[in-house]
C-alpha cells in the first residue's frame, strides 16, 4: 500500500472506530485526555502563582530565572521522561511512592512539561502590563492578595493562551509518557504511545486512525478554549 | 501650579508615598510619611493621576474594588458605589466595561474610585487636562463638594482660571522649588516673588 492509500484507509478506519465505539480505543482516548488535562491544570496550578511571583517581585538573579523558565518551555519530553523515570524508579528518591508505570507517573511527567509553559506565559503577560496599573493598585492601598486578583484578571487572555499551548504540548508528546507509563495496554497506553506501537508493528492504518482521533480531540479542546478567549476579548471592548 | 517639569507631579507622588524624598521630611495629617508608614497613611489618601488606568472590569467593580479589600459588607459596597457614581454622574454606566470609557469618563470613574473610600486627603494631577467643558464642570463640582465636606484637596493644574475658581491656597513651583505659597488673594494680588507675578501674567516661559 502506498502512502496515500494508507492515509485514506486510516481515515476510513478512524471514522469506523469512532462510530463503532471500540472500547479499547475509547479507553486509550479517555486516558490521553484525562492525563493531559490533569497535567495542564496542575501545571497551571503551580505555574500561574510561581510565574506571578517571579514577575512581580524583584530579586537577584531574576533575569536568569526567567531565562531558565523560558528555556524549559522547549525542553524535550524524553529528557523530562528520563528525569521523572529516575526519580520514580525503585532506587530513586521518590521510588517509595511506587507509581512508576501508572497514569499518575504520566501526569507527573506531563506536569513537568506544562509547568514552564504556564509559568513563562504568566511572567511575560504580567511584565507586559502597563506599569502604571501596579502603581494605581499601590495608590489605592490594595493588599498583595487583591493586587494579584486584579493583575491575574488583566492577563486572563494570556492565561488561556498558556492553557492552549500547555495542553497542546501535553497531548502531543510521546517521549515522557512512554518512559514513565510503559505503554501498558488497558492501563497506561495513550494515543501517542499507541501510535508509536502500531507504527512499529507496521499497522499504519490504525496509527493514522489514532492520529486523526488525536487531532479531533485537540481541536475540540482548543475550540472550547479559543471560544473562551474570544469571549473575553469581546468584553474587553 | 507651575510650568511643565517644575515638579508638580513629583510632589503629588511624594505625598502619595509612591516616591520618597532624597532629603527632607513629608508629613501627611501630622504623621511622618516614610516607606514603613506609607501603606497606613496612604489608606486615607486618594490620588487621581493624569490619564488614570482603569481595571479590565465593569465601572461598578472598578469603584467597588477599594471597599472589597477593606472588608465592607456587600450591601454597604452597593450603597457606597452607587453614591460615588451618582456624584460623578455615571450612575447609568455601572455595568459598562471601564476600558471602553472616554478620557473624561475614565477620569470621573478614577475620582469615584477614590471618593468611595472617603479619604481625608485627595490628590489630583491635572484632572481636567484635555477634557471637554462638561466633564471639567462635573469634576470641579465634585471637588467643591469634597471641600465643603472638610476634605483637603491638593490640585495640580495648568489652568489659572480653574485655580482661581477652586483654590483657597495657592502654591507655585519652579524647577523643583516652591517659590510662593499663600492664600489665593495674596497669591494673585500681591505675590512676594516677582516670578509669581510674571507667571500669573503669562510672561514666565520655562
Amino acid at each position: 500500500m502506498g502512502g496515500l492509500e494508507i492515509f485514506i484507509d486510516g481515515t476510513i478506519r478512524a471514522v469506523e472506530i469512532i462510530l463503532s465505539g471500540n472500547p479499547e480505543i475509547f479507553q486509550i482516548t479517555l486516558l490521553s485526555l484525562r492525563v493531559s488535562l490533569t497535567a495542564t491544570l496542575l501545571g497551571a496550578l503551580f505555574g500561574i502563582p510561581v510565574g506571578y511571583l517571579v514577575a512581580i517581585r524583584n530579586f537577584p538573579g531574576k533575569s536568569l530565572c526567567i531565562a531558565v523558565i523560558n528555556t524549559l518551555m522547549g525542553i524535550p519530553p524524553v529528557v523530562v521522561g528520563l528525569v521523572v523515570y529516575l526519580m520514580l524508579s525503585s532506587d530513586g528518591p521518590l521510588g517509595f511512592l511506587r507509581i512508576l508505570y501508572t497514569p499518575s507517573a504520566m501526569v507527573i511527567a506531563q506536569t513537568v512539561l506544562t509547568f514552564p509553559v504556564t509559568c513563562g506565559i504568566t511572567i511575560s503577560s504580567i511584565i507586559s502590563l502597563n506599569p502604571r496599573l501596579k502603581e494605581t493598585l499601590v495608590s489605592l492601598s490594595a493588599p498583595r492578595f487583591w493586587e494579584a486578583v486584579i493583575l491575574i484578571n488583566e492577563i486572563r487572555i494570556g492565561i488561556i493562551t498558556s492553557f492552549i499551548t500547555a495542553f497542546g504540548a501535553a497531548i502531543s508528546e510521546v517521549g515522557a509518557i512512554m518512559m514513565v507509563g510503559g505503554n501498558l495496554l488497558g492501563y497506561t497506553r495513550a494515543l501517542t504511545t499507541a501510535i508509536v506501537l502500531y507504527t512499529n508493528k507496521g499497522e499504519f492504518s490504525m496509527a493514522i486512525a489514532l492520529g486523526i482521533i488525536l487531532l479531533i480531540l485537540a481541536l475540540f479542546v482548543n475550540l472550547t478554549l479559543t471560544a473562551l478567549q474570544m469571549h473575553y476579548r469581546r468584553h474587553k471592548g | 501650579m507651575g510650568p511643565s517639569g517644575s515638579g508638580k507631579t513629583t510632589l503629588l507622588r511624594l505625598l502619595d508615598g509612591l516616591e520618597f524624598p532624597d532629603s527632607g521630611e513629608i508629613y501627611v495629617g501630622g504623621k511622618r510619611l516614610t516607606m514603613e508608614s506609607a501603606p497606613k497613611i496612604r489608606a486615607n489618601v486618594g490620588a487621581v493621576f493624569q490619564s488614570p488606568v482603569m481595571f479590565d472590569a465593569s465601572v461598578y467593580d472598578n469603584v467597588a474594588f477599594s471597599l472589597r479589600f477593606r472588608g465592607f459588607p456587600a450591601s454597604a459596597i452597593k450603597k457606597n458605589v452607587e453614591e460615588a457614581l451618582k456624584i460623578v454622574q455615571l450612575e447609568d454606566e455601572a455595568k459598562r466595561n471601564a476600558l471602553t470609557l472616554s478620557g473624561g469618563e475614565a477620569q470621573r470613574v478614577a475620582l469615584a474610585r477614590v471618593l468611595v473610600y472617603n479619604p481625608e486627603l485627595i490628590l489630583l494631577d491635572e484632572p481636567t487636562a484635555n477634557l471637554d467643558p462638561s466633564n471639567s464642570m462635573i469634576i470641579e463640582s465634585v471637588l467643591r463638594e469634597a471641600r465643603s465636606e472638610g476634605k483637603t484637596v491638593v490640585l495640580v493644574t495648568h489652568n489659572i482660571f480653574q485655580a482661581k475658581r477652586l483654590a483657597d491656597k495657592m502654591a507655585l513651583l519652579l524647577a523643583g522649588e516652591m517659590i510662593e505659597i499663600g492664600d489665593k488673594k495674596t497669591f494673585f494680588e500681591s505675590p512676594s516673588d516677582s516670578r509669581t507675578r510674571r507667571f500669573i501674567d503669562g510672561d514666565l516661559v520655562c
Side-chain angles (χ1 to χ4, degrees):
Chain A
M1 236 192 309
L4 188 63
E5 284 88 46
I6 291 171
F7 187 78
I8 294 167
D9 189 49
T11 311
I12 294 166
R13 286 204 60 184
V15 174
E16 278 171 11
I17 290 166
I18 294 165
L19 293 178
S20 72
N22 179 327
E24 187 189 316
I25 301 299
F26 183 72
Q27 198 262 338
I28 289 175
T29 307
L30 207 65
L31 180 76
S32 276
L33 195 61
R34 190 160 60 94
V35 167
S36 296
L37 278 180
T38 312
T40 305
L41 289 176
L42 282 177
L45 195 69
F46 298 113
I48 295 170
V50 172
Y52 177 80
L53 288 175
V54 169
I56 216 84
R57 297 274 171 92
N58 288 319
F59 55 90
K62 179 172 172 166
S63 300
L64 179 69
C65 179
I66 295 174
V68 167
I69 291 167
N70 286 339
T71 307
L72 290 177
M73 281 170 90
I75 191 169
V78 279
V79 176
V80 172
L82 176 64
V83 172
V84 176
Y85 177 88
L86 292 173
M87 299 288 275
L88 296 180
S89 63
S90 53
D91 298 336
L94 299 175
F96 66 92
L97 293 173
R98 305 177 72 83
I99 54 168
L100 194 61
Y101 303 129
T102 66
S104 301
M106 296 160 76
V107 169
I108 291 174
Q110 288 201 343
T111 303
V112 175
L113 279 171
T114 58
F115 167 80
V117 174
T118 347
C119 190
I121 296 179
T122 303
I123 292 173
S124 60
S125 303
I126 295 272
I127 286 176
S128 49
L129 282 174
N130 183 349
R132 288 182 47 231
L133 180 65
K134 171 98 183 358
E135 202 168 87
T136 302
L137 290 163
V138 173
S139 179
L140 288 171
S141 306
R144 283 188 198 284
F145 171 77
W146 287 90
E147 198 175 286
V149 168
I150 290 288
L151 295 181
I152 297 282
N153 178 57
E154 296 286 324
I155 61 156
R156 61 192 188 274
I157 292 176
I159 285 177
I160 298 172
T161 307
S162 79
F163 268 72
I164 293 173
T165 317
F167 178 75
I171 195 86
S172 63
E173 73 86 20
V174 57
I177 53 168
M178 182 75 102
M179 288 173 95
V180 303
N183 198 21
L184 307 172
L185 179 63
Y187 189 43
T188 57
R189 183 163 301 169
L191 282 168
T192 51
T193 54
I195 291 171
V196 173
L197 184 76
Y198 284 119
T199 308
N200 287 343
K201 282 163 64 179
E203 292 182 33
F204 298 121
S205 303
M206 193 62 177
I208 290 281
L210 291 178
I212 289 171
I213 292 174
L214 181 68
L215 280 177
I216 292 172
L217 201 66
L219 181 71
F220 180 74
V221 173
N222 280 328
L223 271 177
T224 314
L225 290 171
T226 309
L228 198 64
Q229 210 173 28
M230 297 307 278
H231 169 81
Y232 284 143
R233 206 160 272 163
R234 254 198 312 279
H235 284 77
K236 228 174 161 163
Chain B
M1 300 197 75
S4 298
S6 58
K8 308 185 295 292
T9 301
T10 306
L11 178 66
L12 288 193
R13 290 174 61 81
L14 288 165
L15 289 173
D16 198 26
L18 295 175
E19 281 180 42
F20 295 92
D22 297 327
S23 61
E25 292 174 352
I26 295 172
Y27 287 85
V28 174
K31 292 182 196 111
R32 186 168 168 219
L33 186 67
T34 60
M35 219 174 270
E36 292 71 39
S37 69
K40 206 167 174 200
I41 292 174
R42 214 190 271 124
N44 214 7
V45 177
V48 179
F49 291 96
Q50 253 184 310
S51 342
V53 182
M54 292 288 108
F55 307 141
D56 183 3
S58 68
V59 166
Y60 183 94
D61 285 337
N62 265 269
V63 179
F65 177 66
S66 304
L67 299 183
R68 292 207 171 114
F69 66 74
R70 282 175 166 82
F72 277 59
S75 57
I77 291 177
K78 189 167 182 291
K79 183 174 163 281
N80 290 2
V81 172
E82 280 170 358
E83 249 169 47
L85 286 176
K86 204 167 172 194
I87 292 171
V88 298
Q89 299 183 28
L90 281 171
E91 62 269 38
D92 296 334
E93 306 291 345
K95 286 184 180 153
R96 199 164 138 196
N97 186 301
L99 297 185
T100 65
L101 298 171
S102 71
E105 289 167 333
Q107 195 72 253
R108 281 150 62 192
V109 171
L111 193 51
R113 196 162 62 182
V114 157
L115 291 174
V116 78
Y117 61 86
N118 205 18
E120 289 293 314
L121 171 63
I122 301 175
L123 310 169
L124 299 120
D125 192 3
E126 305 261 13
T128 60
N130 311 319
L131 295 196
D132 60 49
S134 75
N135 273 311
S136 302
M137 272 171 63
I138 292 169
I139 287 178
E140 285 191 13
S141 79
V142 173
L143 297 183
R144 271 194 209 94
E145 183 72 25
R147 278 296 296 132
S148 70
E149 286 171 10
K151 296 186 192 309
T152 305
V153 178
V154 178
L155 171 76
V156 160
T157 180
H158 261 113
N159 185 333
I160 281 195
F161 302 105
Q162 184 175 54
K164 279 185 176 167
R165 281 197 297 274
L166 295 174
D168 301 320
K169 269 186 162 182
M170 294 284 304
L172 180 65
L173 278 174
L174 277 184
E177 191 193 344
M178 195 173 283
I179 61 155
E180 183 97 33
I181 182 160
D183 66 82
K184 180 165 68 178
K185 195 170 154 50
T186 317
F187 183 91
F188 281 110
E189 290 172 11
S190 48
S192 59
D193 195 299
S194 63
R195 289 171 293 178
T196 310
R197 168 56 50 209
R198 284 166 56 211
F199 181 79
I200 294 165
D201 293 343
D203 293 336
L204 192 75
V205 182
C206 294

